[in-house]
């Protein structure tokens, strides 16, 4: 029976077969050779026994590899491919494969060996759907090809959970590949188990092998790679004065490790610097933070995010040297002529959250516009390179009509899109170029969904790394051969939080594909400026079609409303400060940081950051206030009400007035508002003329207002009581006081006459006046008034209010 007929029977029933063995092929002459090979394999197995994992020892900290979801009684083996060398092969070569065999079943593995399968039919996979079909298989099938008699790796008995390494080197010629293309390369385990003595396939691992025997005349695909440099916001909206310098404050010191060798951001720059034609996508806030760290800086202690930063609740930062070196390394990398720098809006605001939950908020469009401008200026200033700043990158590239509209209003003409949002029709039998018009004058550059998906996770195991590289090579090879003389423009979109390991895997895949000459790495602009394919999907979906899993992590409307209120409160504070530059920049940046896309994966930290910014701004605003008052007594029908205003800021404030309003203006009238200027860390007491019509208490409110156009209330109003005493009682007090004065005058006259009568001096000499008591007022022109030191308006010399109250003017 010939091989094609045998394969057809296996496929028809979906049953795996031991199709590569001599017994199945009816070739008795090869049985002796096979027996000899098995004896040699058994000797190898005895040596390999030393490397077998002890019973119960499972990889990955006690968990089977991801493929263990396919483990069953029939197929109990978990097979992995960890390395494949070379990754692209040619004629007369040898492919070496290493990996692990793990017994994931409940019975002992017996008389087993690992072997390579020759690809079925020897024909390449020419369609991307065929690659998908191979990658989706979960158990051995006849479609995986024929197991070769050589090489084979004999395995010792493996108990449940035990693992053994294997190495197989297969000659390319033995694979009988028919020509250039991508082939499935499978490694399986054949044997039996203690509870099932039938010799059968027990498990399988698959990968892809590009085969390029001769140089091809196909044009390479032009591939743009996004290389994100982003980090969750760290700079706080506070500074500290230290040694006569302004010192930045960070919420944590995580960037000290990230900027150091081995850290994520260090490794991204180091790996990216070796790739030509790279498109760096940079969050300007990260550059500002790195720059702040090149100087002495402080870090908030845990739990102090809502407090004003001081030396006792912060510690010295440790990343100054690392940040300095990292910035220099980055400047060198992006300065290469083959590189491109894309500036995200400052702090990378979450366009999707804003579009769905805050697009109509007043001031949002202005905030996004400022973020885009600030982003461009920051990147150009920190890196000394030209940058493109009209690029929108919504969360994970998912797009709908609302997000596209917000991006347009923010000035983004180019949108980076996940292919899942613009899927291609099944009728399109090739992969279109990435660029396409999406309406409203915007252009979308659409990342291939399958290729992007290869690099979404942290590829930190040899198995995951090899699978990703080989799949990338297979996908791009097949794309380049779909229309060999019509090269595609492709976009590879890794996640914002691209890890160091995944970046290295992506770099390896790119370099290997470029060496094979079916990929040419280019800048984003090269792909964006290419001619779009008229058959490609450019229809932006409605908001109802936005992925539910992406919507679930969005910032809610309450958080966005609170963030925009920060800008409103900041604008109010700016109107009264004499040195607004100390506050405007840090808080404007902190407001945008509060909407950062990076909070998607750090929601609790984002909430803490937003609360800290809002609380600290509120504390600054409340530092200019009317201190609490309880009661002021107004004796008689007219008098003066004195109210103090306190400024606890370290700079003077102006453009304020104090307005007193009685709740019963028919009973108590108060003079017009008083404008004021408050020195830093001081109080001022203002005097208001009051006229009472009736006796008894009257409720009063004291409220600060800004002056000038569009006057607005500033801070909280203060309520107190004005106690109006009766006019009658006041008259009695005057008569009683006059009678006392007459009695005192008579007593004084009597004493002086008595003393003068006993005096030996001239009896006609004038009377000697006793000095007036301290603080006694003269008649208005004497030295007691004119020569005294002047006190603040409305205050006595001891600093107390002249009107009866419970308040003191602060220092």
């Amino acid at each position: 029976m010939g091989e094609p007929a045998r394969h057809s029977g296996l496929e028809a029933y979906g049953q795996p077969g031991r199709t590569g063995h001599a017994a199945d092929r009816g070739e008795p002459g090869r049985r002796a050779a096979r027996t000899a090979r098995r004896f040699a394999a058994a000797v190898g197995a005895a040596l390999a026994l030393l490397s077998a994992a002890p019973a119960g020892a499972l990889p990955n900290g006690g968990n089977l590899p991801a493929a263990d979801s396919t483990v069953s009684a029939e197929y109990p083996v978990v097979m992995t491919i960890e390395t494949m060398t070379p990754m692209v092969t040619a004629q007369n070569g040898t492919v070496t494969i290493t990996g692990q065999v793990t017994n994931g079943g409940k019975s002992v593995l017996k008389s087993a060996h690992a072997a390579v399968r020759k690809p079925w039919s020897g024909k390449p996979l020419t369609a991307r759907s065929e690659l998908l079909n191979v990658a989706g298989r979960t158990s051995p099938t006849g479609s995986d090809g024929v197991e070769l008699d050589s090489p084979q790796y004999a395995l010792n008995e493996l108990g449940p959970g035990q693992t053994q390494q294997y190495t197989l080197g297969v000659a390319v010629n033995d694979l009988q590949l028919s020509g250039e293309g991508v082939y499935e390369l499978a490694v399986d385990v054949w044997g039996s188990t203690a509870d099932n003595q039938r010799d059968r396939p027990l498990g399988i691992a698959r990968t892809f092998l590009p085969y390029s025997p001769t140089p091809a005349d196909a044009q390479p695909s032009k591939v743009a790679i996004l290389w994100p440099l982003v980090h969750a916001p760290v700079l706080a909206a506070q500074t500290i004065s230290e040694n006569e310098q302004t010192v930045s404050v960070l919420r944590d010191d995580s960037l000290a490790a990230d900027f150091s060798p081995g850290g994520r951001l260090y490794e991204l720059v180091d790996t990216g610097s070796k790739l030509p034609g790279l498109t760096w996508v940079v969050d300007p806030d990260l550059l500002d933070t790195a720059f702040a760290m090149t100087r002495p800086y402080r870090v908030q202690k845990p739990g102090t995010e809502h407090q004003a930063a001081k030396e006792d609740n912060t510690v010295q930062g440790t990343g100054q040297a690392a940040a300095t070196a990292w910035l220099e390394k980055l400047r060198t990398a992006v300065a290469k002529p083959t590189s491109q720098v894309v500036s995200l809006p400052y702090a990378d605001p979450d366009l999707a959250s804003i579009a769905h939950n805050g697009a109509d908020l007043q001031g949002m469009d202005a905030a996004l516009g400022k973020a885009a401008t600030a982003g461009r200026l920051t990147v150009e200033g920190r890196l000394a390179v030209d940058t493109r700043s009209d690029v929108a990158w919504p969360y994970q590239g998912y797009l709908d009509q609302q997000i596209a509209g917000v991006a347009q209003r923010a000035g983004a003409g180019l949108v980076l899109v996940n292919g899942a949002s613009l899927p291609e029709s099944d009728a399109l039998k090739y992969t279109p170029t990435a660029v396409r018009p999406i309406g409203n004058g915007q252009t979308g550059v659409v990342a291939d969904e399958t290729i992007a998906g290869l690099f979404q996770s942290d590829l930190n195991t040899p198995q995951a790394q090899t699978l990703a590289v080989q799949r990338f090579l297979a996908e791009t090879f097949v794309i380049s051969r779909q229309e060999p003389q019509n090269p595609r423009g492709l976009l590879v979109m890794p996640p914002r939080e691209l890890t160091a390991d995944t970046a290295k895997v992506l770099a390896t895949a790119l370099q290997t594909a470029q060496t094979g000459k079916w990929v040419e790495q280019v800048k984003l602009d090269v792909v964006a400026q290419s001619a779009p394919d008229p058959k490609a999907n450019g229809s932006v979906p409605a908001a109802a079609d936005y992925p539910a899993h992406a919507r679930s992590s969005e910032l809610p409307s309450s958080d966005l409303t609170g963030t925009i209120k920060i800008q409103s409160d900041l604008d109010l504070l700016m109107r009264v400060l004499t040195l607004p530059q100390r506050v405007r920049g840090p808080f404007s940046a902190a407001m945008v940081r509060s909407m950062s896309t990076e909070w998607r994966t750090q929601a609790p930290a984002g909430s803490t950051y937003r609360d800290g910014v809002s609380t600290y701004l509120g504390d600054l605003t409340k530092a200019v206030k009317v201190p609490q008052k309880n009661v002021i007594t107004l004796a008689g029908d007219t008098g003066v009400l004195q109210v103090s205003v306190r400024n606890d800021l370290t700079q003077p404030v102006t453009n304020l007035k104090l307005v007193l309003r009685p709740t019963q203006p028919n009973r108590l009238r108060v003079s017009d508002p008083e404008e004021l200027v408050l020195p830093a860390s001081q109080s001022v007491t203002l005097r208001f003329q009051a006229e009472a019509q009736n006796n008894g208490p009257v409720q009063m409110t004291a409220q600060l207002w800004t002056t000038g156009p569009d006057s607005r209330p500033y801070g909280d109003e203060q309520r107190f009581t004005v106690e109006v005493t009766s006019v009658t009682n006041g008259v009695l007090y005057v008569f009683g006081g006059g009678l006392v004065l007459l009695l005192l005058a008579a007593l004084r006259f009597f004493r002086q006459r008595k003393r003068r009568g006993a005096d030996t001096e001239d009896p006609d000499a004038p009377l000697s006046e006793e000095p007036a008591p301290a603080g006694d007022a003269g008649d208005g022109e004497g030295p007691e008034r004119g020569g005294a030191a002047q006190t603040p308006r409305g205050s006595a010399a001891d600093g107390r209010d002249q009107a009866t109250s419970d308040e003191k003017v602060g220092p």
Side-chain angles (χ1 to χ4, degrees):
M1 183 179 295
E3 286 185 2
R6 182 177 69 250
H7 289 310
S8 298
L10 290 169
E11 283 190 303
Y13 293 97
Q15 296 294 325
R18 192 176 179 180
T19 57
H21 285 269
D24 297 318
R25 292 195 297 267
E27 300 177 6
R30 297 181 61 186
R31 291 179 181 174
R34 189 183 67 192
T35 301
R37 286 195 299 270
R38 286 187 172 179
F39 177 77
V43 174
L47 296 174
L49 183 63
L50 296 175
S51 65
L58 295 177
N60 299 331
N63 297 315
L64 289 171
D68 67 356
S69 60
T70 65
V71 167
S72 64
E74 183 68 15
Y75 306 114
V77 168
V78 178
M79 194 82 180
T80 66
I81 296 174
E82 295 188 340
T83 65
M84 192 167 76
T85 309
M87 292 172 281
V88 179
T89 191
Q91 290 176 322
N92 303 321
T94 298
V95 178
T96 301
I97 306 165
T98 69
Q100 286 187 343
V101 177
T102 300
N103 182 359
K106 299 179 180 179
S107 183
V108 175
L109 195 66
K110 304 174 72 67
S111 303
H113 67 269
V116 177
R117 288 197 180 192
K118 179 180 67 174
W120 181 74
S121 80
K123 293 182 179 179
L125 306 168
T126 58
R128 299 186 70 187
S129 59
E130 294 178 309
L131 302 179
L132 181 62
N133 181 46
V134 170
R137 296 177 192 156
T138 59
S139 58
T141 72
S143 300
D144 292 311
V146 181
E147 186 184 273
L148 295 175
D149 288 330
S150 177
Q152 292 184 357
Y153 192 94
L155 301 169
N156 43 270
E157 289 190 355
L158 295 177
Q162 287 188 315
T163 296
Q164 184 174 347
Q165 298 283 337
Y166 72 87
T167 300
L168 292 166
V170 60
V172 174
N173 292 341
D174 289 345
L175 296 174
Q176 298 180 9
L177 308 180
S178 61
E180 180 193 66
V182 174
Y183 295 82
E184 176 189 353
L185 187 64
V187 180
D188 70 359
V189 171
W190 199 285
S192 62
T193 56
D195 61 354
N196 187 345
Q197 298 296 323
R198 182 170 61 89
D199 200 23
R200 67 192 191 277
L202 301 174
I204 194 168
R206 305 171 180 86
T207 188
F208 299 99
L209 178 65
Y211 177 59
S212 183
T214 58
D217 59 355
Q219 296 295 313
S221 299
K222 298 183 182 300
V223 179
I225 310 293
L226 303 182
W227 206 256
L229 294 180
V230 300
H231 189 278
V234 174
L235 268 177
Q238 305 186 42
T239 57
I240 291 179
S241 294
E242 187 175 79
N243 298 326
E244 299 183 355
Q245 293 183 344
T246 299
V247 178
S248 298
V249 177
L250 276 60
R251 67 181 181 90
D252 62 48
D253 211 11
S254 58
L255 282 173
D258 265 358
F259 288 151
S260 301
R264 186 181 75 90
L265 292 171
Y266 178 93
E267 296 300 328
L268 288 182
V269 173
D270 186 64
T271 302
S273 65
K274 303 179 179 73
L275 296 175
L278 201 61
T279 300
W280 302 83
V281 184
V282 183
D283 179 0
D285 176 55
L286 176 62
L287 299 183
D288 265 356
T289 306
F291 182 77
M293 292 173 63
T294 62
R295 303 171 179 180
Y297 66 96
R298 306 285 296 183
V299 179
Q300 293 173 333
K301 292 181 180 179
T304 65
E305 299 86 354
H306 299 82
Q307 302 176 10
K310 302 176 183 178
E311 287 194 11
D312 60 357
N313 61 11
T314 60
V315 296
Q316 192 70 40
T318 62
Q320 185 173 357
T324 302
W326 183 82
L327 266 181
E328 287 302 317
K329 189 177 185 69
L330 177 60
R331 290 183 182 119
T332 301
V334 301
K336 296 179 179 179
T338 56
S339 296
Q340 179 178 0
V341 178
V342 169
S343 167
L344 293 171
Y346 196 94
D348 190 18
D350 190 340
L351 293 180
S353 294
I354 293 169
H356 296 152
N357 304 318
D360 297 332
L361 292 174
Q362 184 177 4
M364 182 62 78
D365 286 350
L368 292 178
K370 291 178 181 178
T373 301
R376 176 179 58 81
L377 295 176
T378 300
V379 172
E380 290 178 351
R382 299 297 186 208
L383 299 182
V385 294
D386 293 331
T387 182
R388 180 164 188 172
S389 60
D390 65 336
V391 178
W393 187 13
Y395 174 67
Q396 292 185 351
Y398 292 120
L399 185 68
D400 62 25
Q401 294 173 4
Q402 290 181 339
I403 298 172
V406 168
Q408 182 192 39
R409 297 202 302 270
L414 191 70
V415 184
L416 306 176
V417 186
N418 188 320
S421 294
L422 296 176
E424 301 301 336
S425 168
D426 292 338
L428 196 64
K429 300 303 181 183
Y430 60 87
T431 300
T433 195
V435 65
R436 63 204 63 179
I438 58 175
N440 296 323
Q442 292 176 301
T443 298
V445 182
V446 182
D448 186 272
E449 182 182 7
T450 299
I451 295 177
L454 300 175
F455 306 102
Q456 292 301 307
S457 60
D458 184 11
L459 303 176
N460 57 6
T461 66
Q463 175 193 4
Q465 293 167 358
T466 296
L467 289 177
V469 170
Q470 297 305 130
R471 183 72 181 276
F472 176 88
L473 298 176
E475 295 285 349
T476 54
F477 192 101
V478 169
I479 291 172
S480 69
R481 298 307 189 262
Q482 289 174 339
E483 293 185 1
Q485 300 307 318
N486 183 21
R488 303 292 190 275
L490 303 177
L491 176 67
V492 178
M493 181 191 294
R496 277 174 164 82
E497 59 275 11
L498 178 64
T499 66
D501 286 334
T502 302
K504 292 173 183 177
V505 173
L506 178 53
T508 298
L510 282 168
Q511 291 167 332
T512 304
Q514 288 193 109
T515 301
K517 297 185 178 179
W518 68 82
V519 159
E520 177 187 358
Q521 189 174 338
V522 297
K523 303 175 183 179
L524 175 64
D525 279 354
V526 173
V527 173
Q529 294 165 7
S530 60
D533 189 325
K535 297 181 180 179
N537 180 18
S539 179
V540 178
D545 297 323
Y546 190 78
H549 67 86
R551 193 180 289 272
S552 65
S553 63
E554 290 179 346
L555 297 178
S557 57
S558 57
D559 285 346
L560 294 173
T561 300
T563 298
I564 290 299
K565 186 177 182 300
I566 291 175
Q567 183 63 58
S568 176
D569 293 343
L570 178 63
D571 292 341
L572 180 63
L573 181 61
M574 292 299 98
R575 296 178 65 169
V576 306
L577 297 181
T578 55
L579 299 172
Q581 65 275 13
R582 291 184 182 178
V583 178
R584 181 187 294 112
F587 271 104
S588 294
M591 186 202 74
V592 182
R593 292 187 195 111
S594 297
M595 302 186 292
S596 175
T597 304
E598 279 61 63
W599 298 127
R600 290 273 192 146
T601 57
Q602 302 183 43
S607 296
T608 300
Y609 186 86
R610 283 186 293 274
D611 291 345
V613 172
S614 180
T615 299
Y616 183 57
L617 179 58
D619 290 343
L620 290 182
T621 303
K622 294 175 183 177
V624 181
K625 60 183 182 293
V626 177
Q628 184 178 0
K629 247 180 214 303
N630 290 333
V631 179
I632 294 180
T633 300
L634 181 67
D637 55 354
T638 61
V640 175
L641 301 180
Q642 298 189 140
V643 180
S644 297
V645 181
R646 176 76 187 173
N647 174 22
D648 287 326
L649 297 175
T650 58
Q651 61 172 291
V653 296
T654 185
N655 298 327
L656 281 173
K657 61 183 177 182
L658 181 61
V659 179
L660 295 189
R661 285 198 178 97
T663 58
Q664 296 174 289
N666 59 323
R667 293 184 53 199
L668 182 66
R669 297 177 184 175
V670 183
S671 59
D672 292 339
E674 290 280 345
E675 295 188 9
L676 69 156
V677 175
L678 287 169
S681 303
Q682 292 189 35
S683 292
V684 169
T685 301
L686 304 178
R687 302 176 66 188
F688 293 83
Q689 295 294 327
E691 180 180 352
Q693 303 296 325
N694 298 94
N695 302 328
V698 178
Q699 297 300 312
M700 183 76 68
T701 61
Q703 174 69 66
L704 290 171
W705 286 73
T706 61
T707 59
D710 187 27
S711 180
R712 295 171 53 189
Y714 184 93
D716 298 330
E717 67 179 21
Q718 186 65 251
R719 294 178 177 270
F720 59 93
T721 300
V722 176
E723 189 68 46
V724 180
T725 60
S726 66
V727 175
T728 304
N729 289 340
V731 172
L732 292 176
Y733 294 151
V734 172
F735 283 135
L739 180 59
V740 171
L741 290 176
L742 289 175
L743 293 174
L744 291 175
L747 178 61
R748 182 182 179 190
F749 177 77
F750 174 76
R751 291 177 59 191
Q752 288 179 344
R753 288 293 297 255
K754 183 178 180 181
R755 198 168 46 242
R756 188 167 55 182
D759 203 333
T760 57
E761 295 194 49
D762 184 2
D764 295 327
L767 295 175
S768 173
E769 293 289 332
E770 294 180 358
D776 211 12
D779 59 5
E781 297 295 332
E784 294 86 352
R785 179 177 183 126
Q790 298 298 307
T791 62
R793 180 185 179 189
S795 298
D798 63 355
R800 297 179 180 272
D801 287 350
Q802 292 177 341
T804 303
S805 74
D806 61 353
E807 177 187 320
K808 296 181 180 180
V809 177

